[in-house]
Amino acid sequence: MELQQLRYVLAVAETRNFTRAAQQCFVVQSALSHQVRKLGTPLFARSSRRVELTPAGEAFLPWARNSLDAAERAAAEATAAVGVVSGTLTIGLIPTVTALDIPALVRRLHEAHPEVNVRLRVGASDELVAAVREDEIDLAVLGLAQGIIPEGVEHRVLAEEALVAVVPEEHPLARRGTVDLAELAEEPFADFATGSPGRAQSDRAFRTAGLVRRDPYEASTAQLIGELVCAGLAVALLPAPFAPTHGARTLTVRSGPHRTVHLVWNAFQPSSAARAALRLLP
């Protein structure tokens, strides 16, 4: 079994089409199909419209991906040992990153180590920290409620941030500069999904204050939450840089929620690219 055969299998699994997989791998389709068949066990079943993984293919795929990742990591670490940092750096990000200038970090990394490729992956904090623990991604920026420490990873606190109240511009509270949490509890809320890390800091603040709020609207991004506020449907609590600038007003919240922004990485043998990125942080 050769690494190129594994690349062909992954390409077919991704595209669900042998022709497109061959184009992606810069090889003729007959050669790609021949190499996949040489693996022995049928990994794909073809229909008139698309290609599907067989049960054997489903079992084979994660191990093929792991093998290719390990081979790439081995090559990158070998070159790093002689002073050339290469390979792929995967950075996980919550949708509301404010404490770290990711484009600036990527630019500094490119200038110092042009052989490193960077992949950015957006997700929820709990998903990202799990991916770091499993060595699926190298670094991640998380937003967690105060007092919550990410487990099983190395971490560095980047910032402590207060959330601001966001209200429609015609709302009675809009002309106020500051508002109490108890006043907000009387309003309908738009927030992230129940149980999500992005919502935890707000839920904790109301619970600690002994308050119950109504939250009829849930959305997956700060932008959508802001749009619900601008439509006059709700109020929200968001990091200040993600509050809408038109159609809404922001207010400071007395005794309001805060979040801690962490940078995390694998505690066991971080990649050479991850170590290089960490050295470039301010």
Side-chain angles (χ1 to χ4, degrees):
M1 186 180 300
E2 299 177 358
L3 291 177
Q4 192 60 53
Q5 289 174 298
L6 303 185
R7 294 188 183 96
Y8 291 162
V9 170
L10 291 180
V12 176
E14 177 185 337
T15 61
R16 291 295 198 265
N17 184 285
F18 276 81
T19 299
R20 288 197 295 271
Q23 293 169 346
Q24 180 176 300
C25 295
F26 302 102
V27 66
V28 296
Q29 180 184 331
S30 59
L32 181 143
S33 299
H34 175 68
Q35 289 299 321
V36 172
R37 283 196 303 271
K38 281 181 65 176
L39 290 170
T41 306
L43 303 177
F44 299 100
R46 301 195 197 200
S47 70
S48 58
R49 295 191 175 185
R50 58 183 296 165
V51 174
E52 298 290 349
L53 285 162
T54 65
E58 293 282 2
F60 183 86
L61 199 62
W63 294 101
R65 188 173 290 113
N66 289 343
S67 296
L68 285 173
D69 289 344
E72 179 181 313
R73 174 72 177 272
E77 294 303 318
T79 60
V82 295
V84 179
V85 180
S86 61
T88 298
L89 177 72
T90 304
I91 305 175
L93 307 168
I94 55 173
T96 55
V97 173
T98 57
L100 183 62
D101 189 336
I102 296 298
L105 174 62
V106 173
R107 184 182 64 250
R108 290 195 299 272
L109 184 65
H110 174 72
E111 290 170 350
H113 307 289
E115 298 300 317
V116 174
N117 298 316
V118 177
R119 296 173 182 164
L120 302 178
R121 169 175 159 182
V122 177
S125 292
D126 52 352
E127 298 168 351
L128 295 176
V129 75
V132 171
R133 282 196 296 263
E134 295 298 320
D135 210 24
E136 295 174 5
I137 60 179
D138 299 288
L139 308 173
V141 180
L142 317 176
L144 302 176
Q146 281 186 311
I148 302 298
I149 303 299
E151 298 181 353
V153 293
E154 293 290 338
H155 76 102
R156 168 181 167 182
V157 173
L158 297 176
E160 301 281 351
E161 298 178 339
L163 303 189
V164 298
V166 187
V167 303
E169 60 182 355
E170 301 300 327
H171 193 280
L173 294 174
R175 298 185 182 278
R176 301 262 299 273
T178 306
V179 67
D180 290 317
L181 203 60
E183 295 175 280
L184 292 174
E186 300 174 1
E187 303 291 334
F189 262 83
D191 209 333
F192 295 102
T194 301
S196 66
R199 179 179 172 136
Q201 50 265 38
S202 298
D203 282 345
R204 174 177 288 197
F206 281 100
R207 188 168 56 250
T208 300
L211 299 170
V212 177
R213 62 170 174 161
R214 293 189 298 118
D215 46 6
Y217 306 105
E218 293 186 356
S220 59
T221 68
Q223 180 180 345
L224 289 172
I225 290 172
E227 290 175 359
L228 291 170
V229 173
C230 292
L233 294 170
V235 302
L237 290 163
L238 292 171
F242 287 88
T245 56
H246 300 287
R249 296 288 185 269
T250 59
L251 312 172
T252 301
V253 185
R254 284 187 286 266
S255 301
H258 290 68
R259 72 172 184 176
T260 304
V261 182
H262 299 262
L263 178 71
V264 301
W265 61 95
N266 198 317
F268 180 71
Q269 292 185 338
S271 69
S272 56
R275 296 194 300 272
L278 290 168
R279 289 193 295 268
L280 294 172
L281 289 173

